[in-house]
Amino acid sequence: MLGTWRTSRRELLAGAAGGLAARGALPAAARAAAIPTDQRPDVVHRGRALAVAGGGAYLVVAHHERRTLTVTERRTGRVGTVALSGQPLELAVSPHSVLVAVTTAFWENPGLELVRVHGARHRARLPVGDAPFAPAFTHDRRKLLVTGGEQDGTLRILDAPNFARARVVALGRVPRGVAITPDDRAAWVALHAEDAVVRVALASGRVTRRVATPPLPDRLALSHDGRHLLVSHGGRTAGTLTEVDTHTGHVRTLPAGDHVSAVAWGARGRRLAALGKQNAIVAIDAHGRRRRLATVTAPHGLAVAGRHAFTVSAITGKVGRVRT
């Protein structure tokens, strides 16, 4: 038969004293736990996305599972940190390198935030739907595009100077990367769940072309002349690239390497891909010849300035630079 548990006043006091002693024995841990994770120096801020501004004078890095964005002035090493309202996803720098647009994740306060590069100052936060993904500025700085919407996929076209007014274009399921044509008349968008890329006329908002691709198209990069669209993929095709001739619609597949996390165009028309599981950037020329360029661990994101490509480690947060 179970007895009745009784606690004396002396036992209660002894337990309280023991608790106070235990808390006093770990003052450093208690203090660390009280500091927000984003501000703790012992927490590694892993890289989520990266962009360059001012021709490589500034590096902008968004952090995985953190509400922070850093702007580093490379000449002085000065780092400015900007607090965001949610977890960052993707970045875009305006052509005049004044603003950075960063989308924040659908699971934590989705939206679009604008940050001034010089001084790393927050400028504005804008609503852009329930699940924003990739931002992109037009070359003339008059528009800012944002893909999103997941299954109810959209392209939002925001007008300068304050980007408060937006047109919403229905696209298709799960829009991902976006690339703007050199003349600013159109944009290409990857439809992740429809195995296709589409061309959208920005004046009318109409889809004017659709090209089928291998499964799960993801990130996009458009060549400087607008003739070739480079596409990365998710799933089983994550190790290959698709190159689309935007004039003819012809598609060719390029082997790249294990887990492509980002794509870009480098000097002399080289196709660049960050290989998340090979700690490298691969450079592929027009003839398909490949060069493997060692960089940081688990590179994520890719940005080009001149003959250099930058990426950030998804594990350590360190930025890597390679000559392409």
Side-chain angles (χ1 to χ4, degrees), residues 10-31:
R10 179 178 296 177
E11 290 169 334
L12 286 172
L13 292 174
L20 288 172
R23 286 193 293 273
L26 299 171
R31 283 196 298 270

Side-chain angles (χ1 to χ4, degrees), residues 27-292:
R31 283 196 298 270
I35 299 174
T37 303
D38 294 347
Q39 301 175 21
R40 283 176 55 177
D42 59 319
V43 174
V44 175
H45 286 59
R46 298 178 290 164
R48 165 75 199 195
L50 168 139
V52 296
Y58 295 90
L59 296 176
V60 185
V61 177
H63 301 120
H64 182 62
E65 296 184 349
R66 305 284 181 263
R67 293 185 174 192
T68 53
L69 183 79
T70 58
V71 180
T72 302
E73 186 177 358
R74 294 181 60 216
R75 183 179 62 84
T76 64
R78 185 181 296 112
V79 179
T81 301
V82 180
L84 303 173
S85 299
Q87 294 182 27
L89 288 180
E90 297 291 309
L91 301 174
V93 175
S94 63
H96 55 347
S97 295
V98 170
L99 295 176
V100 177
V102 52
T103 50
T104 52
F106 72 88
W107 59 85
E108 186 186 47
N109 205 8
L112 177 78
E113 304 206 21
L114 298 177
V115 174
R116 293 189 181 276
V117 173
H118 186 68
R121 291 174 294 153
H122 190 274
R123 173 181 157 176
R125 179 173 175 83
L126 304 171
V128 285
D130 294 333
F133 187 73
F137 288 92
T138 56
H139 304 90
D140 62 9
R141 307 180 305 214
R142 294 182 179 180
K143 293 179 175 60
L144 173 57
L145 312 185
V146 184
T147 63
E150 291 297 296
Q151 296 298 321
D152 300 321
T154 60
L155 176 69
R156 290 176 184 264
I157 306 173
L158 287 67
D159 293 324
N162 55 17
F163 303 110
R165 187 169 65 91
R167 286 181 294 142
V168 181
V169 177
L171 285 184
R173 290 181 296 141
V174 192
R176 302 290 282 178
V178 57
I180 298 171
T181 59
D183 60 9
D184 287 332
R185 293 182 179 179
W188 287 90
V189 179
L191 296 182
H192 195 69
E194 296 189 9
D195 301 342
V197 294
V198 293
R199 183 183 185 273
V200 182
L202 298 185
S204 64
R206 291 185 300 176
V207 173
T208 59
R209 189 157 200 173
R210 182 185 182 98
V211 179
T213 69
L216 306 177
D218 193 24
R219 268 54 170 191
L220 301 182
L222 194 60
S223 61
H224 300 300
D225 61 3
R227 182 67 188 262
H228 301 280
L229 182 69
L230 199 60
V231 186
S232 70
H233 298 270
R236 295 181 179 180
T237 49
T240 62
L241 302 175
T242 296
E243 185 174 331
V244 178
D245 186 314
T246 60
H247 289 191
T248 66
H250 178 263
V251 173
R252 71 165 176 159
T253 299
L254 301 171
D258 199 4
H259 190 70
V260 176
S261 66
V263 292
W265 289 85
R268 301 178 184 176
R270 290 189 176 92
R271 297 113 177 106
L272 304 178
L275 305 180
K277 293 187 178 180
Q278 293 187 14
N279 306 336
I281 294 171
V282 63
I284 307 172
D285 68 15
H287 303 287
R289 293 186 292 258
R290 299 156 40 96
R291 289 173 56 214
R292 186 178 180 277

